[in-house]
Amino acid sequence: NAIDPEIAMTGLYTELGENPTLAMAEFKHLDAVRKLELLAHYEATRLLAEGKGDEALALMVHWAYFARQIADRQFFTEKVAGTQMLVLALQRMRDLAWQDFRSEKRTMTPEGIRNTLYSKIDAVRSVLNVNRYELPTGDYQAASQIVQRTFTPNARAKPQEFSRSFARIAAGNRPYRLFPENAKWNAVVQLHADTNETTKRVKGVFGDWSRRFDVGPFDLLLKIPTDWSRIDKAQFASLDLILGNLGEILALRNQLRIEAAGTRAALAPYGYFLARGDFPRDINASVPQMIRTMGRG
């Protein structure tokens, strides 16, 4: 009801259903965003072909900033889409620099690359700072909400409500899946853990992911099996459906960290080359002319 009718007509919103349910969210706007991504990359290609290398690079930076805003949304689906777009934008920055290097007339400038690195990528407060990348909390809220609606306090799940709700979540935008999913969840409810244990597991699983998300990529905590890997997937099938994929964010965040470091380490020497006519013998020679510090990503 809070969505402007004109926006709703274009489908640029998140559908939560008549009885707003976070676990049933349909992120309708993401299709349009992915189409916009294609246009951004197409435009970067056009700009470079027209001899506007700095503008092409700047466009990819702007697109990366937009993608980062999607990656900062609070649901897994949005965060994955935004991070994938951000990773591709960082890769494309390197690709544009490579194409410019291979061209007969290079149109990127040392100033353009230096501004990209100093002001946009390397800045501590930049939205591209991976240290500010957080675990999505929307899915935890979704799991908590659906447990409250489909379970009786201090008892067990409400069979009819449980089966209907989780069948709809599993079917998503595939209505013909409702029938087999409903039959499946009718059987699942007989084996599912009670209300108190389910609520406890929701908090425990998300809390474990949160702790792992806050440590470095080589922390010993990451070698310990997750709380999620140790639970009975039959007894907690509802959590498997809603929270089971959260662990993928850890690998995606690591990929983002690597891509950001790789882009910084690639653009800085190229800026050095454009300024001096030769690549540096040591990658750190680009500091501080092109980048504040090469760092570790």
Side-chain angles (χ1 to χ4, degrees), residues 143-185:
S144 300
Q145 182 193 55
I146 201 69
V147 168
Q148 290 177 359
R149 289 187 179 181
T150 60
F151 283 74
T152 301
N154 300 314
R156 303 187 68 84
K158 308 170 189 175
Q160 187 175 357
E161 185 70 23
F162 180 94
S163 301
R164 181 172 62 249
S165 296
F166 283 99
R168 288 179 60 193
I169 295 171
N173 58 2
R174 301 165 298 174
Y176 290 112
R177 289 290 304 168
L178 278 173
F179 298 102
E181 287 295 341
N182 194 66
K184 169 189 170 182
W185 290 97

Side-chain angles (χ1 to χ4, degrees), residues 44-269:
T45 300
R46 186 190 68 80
L47 288 170
L48 187 65
E50 290 186 355
K52 301 175 181 177
D54 283 349
E55 291 185 32
L57 185 60
L59 175 61
M60 272 298 101
V61 170
H62 291 314
W63 175 251
Y65 270 53
F66 180 82
R68 177 56 191 266
Q69 293 180 63
I70 301 297
D72 282 339
R73 302 281 289 178
Q74 291 304 309
F75 281 88
F76 174 84
T77 301
E78 293 176 295
K79 198 168 196 74
V80 167
T83 305
Q84 290 172 342
M85 292 189 293
L86 180 51
V87 164
L88 187 57
L90 289 165
Q91 293 173 341
R92 189 67 198 284
M93 291 179 204
R94 303 196 300 268
D95 179 62
L96 290 169
W98 170 249
Q99 292 183 58
D100 187 67
F101 171 69
R102 298 271 300 193
S103 65
E104 294 183 1
K105 183 179 179 181
R106 302 182 182 100
T107 58
M108 287 188 183
T109 66
E111 294 75 21
I113 291 180
R114 185 179 188 278
N115 178 62
T116 295
L117 291 171
Y118 263 81
S119 304
K120 304 300 190 297
I121 295 180
D122 199 39
V124 174
R125 296 186 180 276
S126 167
V127 297
L128 299 186
N129 187 335
V130 181
N131 293 328
R132 297 172 57 193
Y133 187 88
E134 299 177 346
L135 186 70
T137 59
D139 298 270
Y140 169 69
Q141 300 296 336
S144 300
Q145 182 193 55
I146 201 69
V147 168
Q148 290 177 359
R149 289 187 179 181
T150 60
F151 283 74
T152 301
N154 300 314
R156 303 187 68 84
K158 308 170 189 175
Q160 187 175 357
E161 185 70 23
F162 180 94
S163 301
R164 181 172 62 249
S165 296
F166 283 99
R168 288 179 60 193
I169 295 171
N173 58 2
R174 301 165 298 174
Y176 290 112
R177 289 290 304 168
L178 278 173
F179 298 102
E181 287 295 341
N182 194 66
K184 169 189 170 182
W185 290 97
N186 276 331
V188 167
V189 71
Q190 306 301 324
L191 304 173
H192 205 283
D194 63 26
T195 305
N196 293 336
E197 191 61 27
T198 301
T199 302
K200 177 181 176 182
R201 291 291 183 173
V202 168
K203 295 179 180 178
V205 166
F206 188 80
D208 182 52
W209 286 129
S210 297
R211 288 189 295 273
R212 293 168 185 272
F213 208 79
D214 289 338
V215 301
F218 305 107
D219 194 280
L220 293 177
L221 175 62
L222 301 181
K223 296 183 178 181
I224 301 174
T226 64
D227 282 10
W228 176 246
S229 68
R230 296 196 293 262
I231 71 170
D232 187 316
K233 302 302 189 294
Q235 283 189 306
F236 298 97
S238 60
L239 307 191
D240 189 18
L241 179 63
I242 300 176
L243 297 178
N245 52 12
L246 272 185
E248 298 174 20
I249 292 291
L250 289 171
L252 198 56
R253 194 261 303 268
N254 286 338
Q255 181 185 3
L256 176 58
R257 178 183 283 119
I258 292 169
E259 295 291 351
T263 300
R264 294 167 68 251
L267 291 182

Side-chain angles (χ1 to χ4, degrees), residues 32-48:
V33 170
R34 297 313 291 255
K35 291 177 181 178
L36 182 60
E37 178 188 27
L38 293 177
L39 292 175
H41 283 275
Y42 180 87
E43 178 66 5
T45 300
R46 186 190 68 80
L47 288 170
L48 187 65

